[in-house]
Every structure is written in C-alpha cells, then in structure tokens.
Amino acid sequence: MRERGQAFTLLATGLMTAQGLSPAVFGLVADHTTAGAAVAVAGLLAVVHVVWRGPDLIRVLRTTT
C-alpha cells in the first residue's frame, strides 16, 4: 500500500511541476513558431511520456493491490 501512495505522490508532484513550467516553455515555442505548432509539440510530448512511463505506473498499481 505504501508504494501506491508514493506513486500517486510522485504523479501529483510531476503534474504540478509540469503545469507550472509548461506555459513558459510552450509560450517560448509559440513565440518562435506558431501557436498551433506549440500545441502540437505539447500534445506529442504528452503522448510520448504516457507511452514511456504509463506501463511503470500501471505495474506499480497492480502489484500493490
């Protein structure tokens, strides 16, 4: 049960950090390209991250239930 709590804490921390940094980072991307390109890059990075880290989170949640 402890691992599940740690997984959710890490997830929440990562989400809060990303929500704080993303507007600045993608604002800079939009300044140098277009707003549509910045949104596309953000979406692509989100999908890549889910594909990369999602299975680990699922594994942790399944083994702690």
Side-chain angles (χ1 to χ4, degrees), residues 41-61:
V41 169
L44 178 64
L45 289 176
V47 169
V48 167
H49 188 263
V50 167
V51 169
W52 175 48
R53 299 302 297 171
D56 291 335
L57 179 60
I58 291 170
R59 188 177 323 109
V60 167
L61 294 176

